[in-house]
Structure formats: C-alpha cells, structure tokens
Amino acid sequence: MTVLVTGASGHLGANLVRRLLDEGTRVRVLARPEAGNAALAGLDVETVWGDLRDLDATRAAVRGCPRVYHCAAKVSTGTGQVAEIHGCNVVGSRHLLRAALEAGVERVVVTGSFSAVGHVPGRPSDETDAVNPFERMLPYQRSKVAVEHACLTAVANGLDVVIATSCAIVGPHDYKPSPMGRVLLDFARGRLRAYIPGGFEFVAARDIVEGHRLAMDKGRTGHKYIFSSGHTSVDELMAYYEEITGRPRPRWRLSPPLMAALAEVTSFVTTRLRPDAPLRFTPGAVRLLRLGRRADTTKARTELGFTPTPLREAVREAYADFARRGLVPPR
Ligand SMILES: NC(=O)c1ccc[n+]([C@@H]2O[C@H](COP(=O)([O-])OP(=O)(O)OC[C@H]3O[C@@H](n4cnc5c(N)ncnc54)[C@H](OP(=O)(O)O)[C@@H]3O)[C@@H](O)[C@H]2O)c1
C-alpha cells in the first residue's frame, strides 16, 4: 500500500515520512519543485510535483493511495499573506478532500492546530471547545478553523476523515526551520536578546507523529484528537535550552505588555519594509504565550492510548539534528 503525505518537506511531514519508511511503508509525497526540499533528500519516496491549489495536481497525488496524511499548510503567526494562507490551507484542503472522495481513499488524517480549539479561561481546552468567532484571531487560525469545517463537510459527503490536532512542534528534521527551531538556533548562537514569561502547549515531533499514526489506525471518523506533550512555561524552556546548548539565557526577561508593544512595532515596520522576512515574536505569538493556554489530552490518551514523552528530549533531539547539519556546535 502506498501512503500519501502532503507537507512532507515541512517539520511534521519530514518526521512522519521517516517514521513511515522505518515501518516499511511505501510513501508518496506531494511537493512543490520551487520550494526547499532538503528534508526529502536521500529518502526513498515517490514524489509527485504539484501544489494543493492545483486540483488536478492534487488528484494525481492522491490517485492509488488508500491512506492520506494531509500535513501541508502555510503556517504563520503574522497578519499578512492572507491570500496565500487561504489558498494553501482552505482551498488546498478542500481540493485534497475532494480528490480523496473521488478516488475512494479509505481514510484521511488531517493535521489540525490547537489554535483552532476554543479557549475557556480557567480550565484546559478539549476537543469539544469551539473557537469564538468574534475573538481576535490570526489569519492562520481562521484558516485552520475553516479546514476543520471542510473536514466535517467531507465526512458528511462520505469520506473517512480524522483530525490530528497539533500544538507547537519541537524536534528534529526541522529544515525550514520552524518558529520554535529559529528560537533554539538564535539561543544557541547567542542572538536571542530577550524573552517573556508565559507558556504554551508544546508537542514533541515524535509524539505528534505517533498521534497521526494512532489517528489513522484507531481514530473515530469525524473526530478530532488533541496531541500535546504538555504545557511548558517559557522559563522551563529557557532552562532546557541552557542545559542543552551550554549557553546562558538572555539577560532581559521583559514584561509581557512591553514585549507585546515591541512586537507590534517590529511587526508593523518589518511587514512594510520586508514582507517576506520571518518574524521571531509577532504580536500574535506574544498573545498566545501570554494566554498560557492548556490542553486536555484525555480523549487521545483514553481512546487511542496516546502516551506523551518529555519535551526536554525533543529539544535535545532538535539541537542534535541542527548540530548534525553544522548549524550549531556539537555538544
Ligand atoms: N509547526 C507547529 O508548531 C504547528 C502547530 C500546530 C499545528 N501545525 C500544523 O501542522 C502541520 C505541519 O506544520 P509544519 O510545522 O510541518 O509546517 P511547515 O514546516 O511550515 O511545512 C509546511 C508544509 O506544507 C507544504 N505546503 C504549504 N502550502 C502548500 C501548497 N499550497 N501545496 C503543497 N504543499 C504546501 C510546505 O511545502 P513547501 O516546502 O513547498 O513550502 C511544507 O511541506 C500544518 O497543518 C500546521 O497547520 C503546526
């Protein structure tokens, strides 16, 4: 059986493809020729070149694959690139689900985002919490809510879809690199100047890969499962970074309101002068850290047998992989 993975050049996809290959699965990937595909170099995968926004290319990728992992998305904590976010995430997912229905795919696991789960102050969020559409939301968040809606529509039309909801991913094979990967690189190179208190739900790359495998094998059709390795405060994260990189944390532990104001100014200037430049701390990212949201993973644990692993190990693996590629000194 050949399994299709979209987003295989990305952080999650690169880890998932390696796990599937280790299990002896034949893997096909949908990849864009113009993108950086270093994550796929040397892997024994079949590549279909194309973009999810192209329905025919998506159909060609899906054809003959009974199982599909749809991990691709334009991930962003900024407020720009709205057309690209909508095209890649919403239109692209609709194409993928339509192609899967036409081709008689047995099951599609779609990667969801914790940012598309509702926030109820005072308790951890679970799969039943819907987002408040009147809250301030980033374009990426809105798009991931729309993707879930598209999944449920596809289920109503007869497709077997399960949503594997990811928190912020930490781990190896991060080639682009991800926002969390950039923070670790900056820290290791002594270029992270400041940080703020707060916290978030993080997931080890190995845990979110396991979550996707469990969702494929045991998930209930039309259901969503949240996968997290646990809530981690920024102070805890800084302690892991110090231990793993051998460098001290930044001297400046800024107050969240000050950091929020700085992020607003930096983001305003950067998005006008260099719209494609990656931002470390966008106002949206600062807001998420300040909220300190927590996830309830009871459903994934009890229904699927999900067992999260320590985040410190994921940071260690991420650092080791950057060192292997010569981006930071070996430890
Ligand atoms: N990273 C996180 O912390 C996080 C947190 C919650 C949820 N998630 C979800 O996890 C999934 C994977 O995220 P990630 O961190 O692996 O992202 P990533 O590293 O940015 O990779 C995104 C992948 O999607 C592909 N892609 C985007 N638009 C595409 C299009 N129009 N056609 C074909 N491929 C396209 C990219 O291909 P190119 O190489 O061609 O750009 C890349 O392979 C996403 O669904 C994301 O929403 C991620």
Side-chain angles (χ1 to χ4, degrees):
M1 161 175 34
T2 301
V3 169
L4 173 68
V5 179
T6 70
S9 62
H11 193 191
L12 168 58
N15 282 278
L16 177 60
V17 166
R18 283 163 175 79
R19 164 82 184 264
L20 293 170
L21 291 174
D22 286 348
E23 290 171 355
T25 306
R26 268 206 308 271
V27 178
R28 180 186 295 169
V29 302
L30 171 69
R32 298 189 286 190
E34 69 279 13
N37 286 306
L40 300 172
L43 295 185
D44 184 15
V45 294
E46 177 194 348
T47 305
V48 172
W49 298 107
D51 192 301
L52 284 161
R53 289 169 288 187
D54 175 347
L55 178 58
D56 286 335
T58 308
R59 282 184 173 129
V62 168
R63 205 169 295 131
C65 294
R67 290 179 164 200
V68 175
Y69 290 96
H70 176 40
C71 305
K74 170 74 188 166
V75 180
S76 165
T77 56
T79 51
Q81 299 176 298
V82 177
E84 193 182 347
I85 291 171
H86 180 259
C88 295
N89 299 2
V90 185
V91 178
S93 295
R94 282 194 199 130
H95 283 170
L96 187 282
L97 295 165
R98 179 172 163 187
L101 193 59
E102 288 171 0
V105 168
E106 286 167 15
R107 171 160 280 189
V108 184
V109 171
V110 175
T111 313
S113 169
F114 188 52
S115 65
V117 175
H119 172 50
V120 184
R123 68 162 173 80
S125 304
D126 65 26
E127 291 83 355
T128 62
D129 292 316
V131 287
N132 175 350
F134 301 104
E135 257 176 20
R136 189 175 168 194
M137 262 195 282
L138 294 168
Y140 165 73
Q141 281 179 276
R142 277 186 202 286
S143 76
K144 294 301 278 189
V145 175
V147 169
E148 290 195 11
H149 187 264
C151 289
L152 297 182
T153 305
V155 170
N157 287 330
L159 187 65
D160 185 333
V161 185
V162 181
I163 300 168
T165 292
S166 179
C167 297
I169 303 170
V170 175
H173 309 300
D174 185 4
Y175 282 81
K176 292 198 175 292
S178 66
M180 287 309 298
R182 279 200 297 269
V183 173
L184 176 57
L185 285 172
D186 284 349
F187 189 105
R189 294 165 179 166
R191 288 197 209 136
L192 192 70
R193 307 276 176 239
Y195 68 103
I196 55 164
F200 198 63
E201 291 283 337
F202 294 95
V203 65
R206 114 178 64 73
D207 289 349
I208 188 63
V209 165
E210 174 69 5
H212 278 63
R213 294 290 296 107
L214 289 169
M216 182 61 88
D217 290 344
K218 299 190 197 169
R220 277 189 287 158
T221 304
H223 277 253
K224 161 159 105 173
Y225 297 88
I226 301 173
F227 299 102
S228 169
S229 303
H231 182 275
T232 307
S233 70
V234 180
D235 284 302
E236 282 173 291
L237 205 58
M238 291 295 126
Y240 298 159
Y241 285 2
E242 285 182 321
E243 178 194 321
I244 289 161
T245 67
R247 277 188 171 267
R249 69 184 68 193
R251 203 145 38 98
W252 305 107
R253 185 177 186 271
L254 300 181
S255 77
L258 177 60
M259 189 67 181
L262 279 175
E264 291 283 358
V265 173
T266 319
S267 160
F268 181 84
V269 174
T270 312
T271 47
R272 270 145 195 87
L273 296 181
R274 294 172 59 213
D276 293 328
L279 281 162
R280 263 61 170 168
F281 287 103
T282 61
V286 173
R287 199 167 59 247
L288 283 176
L289 283 175
R290 288 178 73 183
L291 274 177
R293 299 192 52 192
R294 285 171 191 270
D296 181 345
T297 54
T298 306
K299 185 176 175 185
R301 288 169 189 261
T302 53
E303 275 190 32
L304 307 180
F306 173 62
T307 314
T309 60
L311 193 78
R312 179 196 270 113
E313 285 316 303
V315 177
R316 199 181 295 284
E317 287 169 16
Y319 187 88
D321 190 57
F322 283 141
R324 180 182 64 80
R325 289 189 272 135
L327 299 172
V328 290
R331 291 272 296 159

